């Protein structure tokens, strides 16, 4: 697609204009509250978004590569998230897309002077879409890690998060992270939780979402799962009769931030997003949202 597009540009101004007109609206993202409850998008829609994303990125490079300027010109920022990870990003009883990250993304978009449009999908697909230019940013409780910093430029942190090792209520074989050695866990593949479990010797089963994780745990098909401490408390609030517990917690909190593609294209966007996060913190908005969704303030390190 990219090679053909560049060839078309070289062929003449008229053909370029026709190509640009033809692809202008082909990659529409889902609007807030209209996403499927499963958190997915059709393969045809995803293919259309990939094609449009590549073309849009090429146009942006030809126009100077300033992603923020492009976003503000069209008045819309495309935000990727799972939509299945309460209370960060999920669907309420009326199938509206809600959650801490949804509201944070909306407020950041407001600071940028644009509207946030959300596209939902599975974790690996979201990262691939960010890489391909289909999405402008990913807001989905993403922890900063050394490995991810090699590939993405992160915003400043907007939340802090300890990791919990969650087991069934009568399971006593795990009392520390070291006890994960040889145990079976389940998490989204390539998530920091899966990586942490593997680093302590656990065998990790890949899953699509949080509900599938807890189903495996409750049916005894895995020994434990790792997830955000606040996610555990939110799950227990919604399922008070479920017999699970936290076996151990990490001592240090991870930093949650917004990954962007590396390069000059995203520099001004990252600066603007950082300024928005600083303003939201100073205004008390992040604290307010934290307490609304988590019952505690996760927007501060301590």
């Amino acid at each position: 697609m990219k090679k053909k597009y560049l060839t078309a540009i070289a062929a003449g101004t008229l053909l370029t204009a026709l190509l640009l007109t033809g692809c202008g609206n082909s990659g529409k993202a889902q609007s807030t509250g209209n996403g499927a409850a499963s958190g997915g998008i059709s393969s045809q829609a995803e293919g259309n978004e990939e094609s449009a994303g590549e073309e849009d990125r090429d146009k942006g490079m030809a126009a100077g590569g300033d992603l923020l300027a492009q976003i503000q010109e069209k008045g819309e920022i495309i935000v990727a998230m799972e939509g299945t990870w309460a209370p960060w990003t999920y669907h309420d009883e009326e199938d509206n897309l809600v959650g801490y990250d949804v509201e944070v993304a909306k407020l950041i978009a407001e600071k940028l002077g644009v509207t946030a449009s959300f596209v939902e999908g599975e974790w690996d697909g979201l990262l691939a879409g960010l890489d391909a230019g289909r999405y402008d940013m990913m807001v989905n409780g993403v922890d900063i890690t050394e490995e991810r910093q090699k590939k993405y430029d992160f915003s400043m942190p907007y939340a802090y998060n300890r990791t919990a090792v969650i087991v069934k209520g009568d399971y006593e074989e795990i009392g520390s992270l070291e006890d994960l050695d040889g145990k079976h866990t389940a998490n989204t593949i390539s998530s920091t939780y899966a990586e942490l479990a593997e680093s302590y010797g656990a065998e990790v089963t890949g899953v699509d979402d949080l509900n599938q994780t807890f189903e495996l745990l409750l049916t005894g098909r895995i020994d434990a799962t790792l997830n955000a401490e606040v996610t555990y408390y939110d799950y227990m609030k919604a399922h008070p009769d479920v017999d699970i517990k936290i076996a151990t917690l990490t001592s240090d909190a991870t930093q949650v931030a917004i990954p962007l593609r590396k390069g000059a294209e995203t520099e001004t966007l990252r600066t603007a997003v950082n300024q928005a996060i600083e303003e939201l913190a100073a205004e008390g908005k992040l604290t307010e949202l934290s307490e609304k969704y988590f019952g505690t303030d996760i927007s501060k390190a301590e």
Side-chain angles (χ1 to χ4, degrees), residues 1-12 15-16 19:
M1 173 65 74
K2 189 171 184 179
K3 185 179 295 183
K4 291 180 181 177
Y5 182 68
L6 292 175
T7 302
I9 291 176
L15 183 55
T16 300
L19 282 172

Side-chain angles (χ1 to χ4, degrees), residues 187-297:
N187 276 106
T188 306
I189 294 300
S190 82
S191 69
T192 53
Y193 304 116
E195 292 170 359
L196 181 62
E198 289 176 334
S199 73
Y200 280 94
E203 181 180 332
V204 179
T205 296
V207 295
D208 295 330
D209 57 44
L210 185 65
N211 290 330
Q212 186 179 357
T213 300
F214 280 116
E215 180 182 347
L216 292 175
L217 180 64
L218 292 171
T219 55
R221 294 163 65 185
I222 57 173
D223 301 309
T225 183
L226 280 64
N227 216 298
E229 179 185 10
V230 291
T231 298
Y232 165 81
Y233 290 124
D234 180 76
Y235 186 85
M236 292 305 298
K237 182 171 64 175
H239 307 84
D241 297 327
V242 172
D243 187 22
I244 58 176
K245 65 182 181 182
I246 292 178
T248 187
L249 288 163
T250 55
S251 57
D252 297 324
T254 59
Q255 296 179 327
V256 177
I258 298 171
L260 302 169
R261 291 186 298 280
K262 275 188 176 292
E265 175 197 14
T266 63
E267 284 181 5
T268 56
L269 176 60
R270 184 160 60 96
T271 298
V273 168
N274 282 342
Q275 181 177 340
I277 292 172
E278 287 180 340
E279 291 177 3
L280 292 173
E283 294 164 3
K285 295 290 188 180
L286 293 182
T287 294
E288 180 182 328
L289 290 176
S290 293
E291 293 175 346
K292 173 182 177 179
Y293 285 102
F294 300 106
T296 187
D297 189 0

Side-chain angles (χ1 to χ4, degrees), residues 3 19 28 39 44 55 74 77 106 110 112 145 194 216 221 253 294:
K3 185 179 295 183
L19 282 172
K28 264 305 193 191
Q44 181 177 359
E55 291 171 358
K74 68 180 180 179
I77 186 167
K106 286 181 180 178
E110 185 179 310
L112 300 181
T145 66
L216 292 175
R221 294 163 65 185
F294 300 106

Side-chain angles (χ1 to χ4, degrees), residues 24-217:
N25 295 318
S26 62
K28 264 305 193 191
Q30 296 174 355
S31 299
T32 307
N34 293 331
S38 64
I41 55 179
S42 69
S43 58
Q44 181 177 359
E46 189 169 359
N48 290 340
E49 285 172 7
E50 182 173 4
S51 297
E54 290 177 358
E55 291 171 358
D56 287 344
R57 184 168 59 172
D58 289 340
K59 287 189 290 183
M61 290 302 182
D66 188 341
L67 183 56
L68 176 61
Q70 298 165 47
I71 289 167
Q72 292 180 327
E73 182 177 357
K74 68 180 180 179
E76 178 188 47
I77 186 167
I78 308 301
V79 182
M81 56 178 51
E82 288 177 292
T84 57
W85 188 30
W88 298 84
T89 158
Y90 64 103
H91 287 258
D92 64 16
E93 294 179 354
E94 298 178 354
D95 201 26
N96 296 310
L97 182 63
V98 296
Y100 179 71
D101 277 337
V102 176
E103 296 208 40
V104 168
K106 286 181 180 178
L107 289 174
I108 290 175
E110 185 179 310
K111 294 285 187 183
L112 300 181
V114 300
T115 300
S117 292
F118 299 95
V119 177
E120 301 170 56
E122 296 178 4
W123 176 271
D124 287 342
L126 298 181
L127 290 171
L130 185 65
D131 295 340
R134 296 199 297 272
Y135 318 130
D136 299 318
M137 65 181 186
M138 178 177 173
V139 187
N140 198 83
V142 182
D143 290 339
I144 299 174
T145 66
E146 289 185 12
E147 191 64 28
R148 287 176 184 163
Q149 284 179 312
K150 296 176 183 176
K151 191 169 186 180
Y152 305 101
D153 284 333
F154 279 87
S155 71
M156 63 183 294
Y158 67 93
Y160 298 84
N161 183 25
R162 286 197 301 174
T163 298
V165 179
I166 305 164
V167 299
K168 292 181 69 174
D170 60 354
Y171 192 77
E172 302 294 339
E173 294 184 26
I174 297 177
S176 67
L177 292 173
E178 287 74 17
D179 291 335
L180 288 171
D181 188 20
K183 302 297 192 299
H184 294 271
T185 68
N187 276 106
T188 306
I189 294 300
S190 82
S191 69
T192 53
Y193 304 116
E195 292 170 359
L196 181 62
E198 289 176 334
S199 73
Y200 280 94
E203 181 180 332
V204 179
T205 296
V207 295
D208 295 330
D209 57 44
L210 185 65
N211 290 330
Q212 186 179 357
T213 300
F214 280 116
E215 180 182 347
L216 292 175
L217 180 64

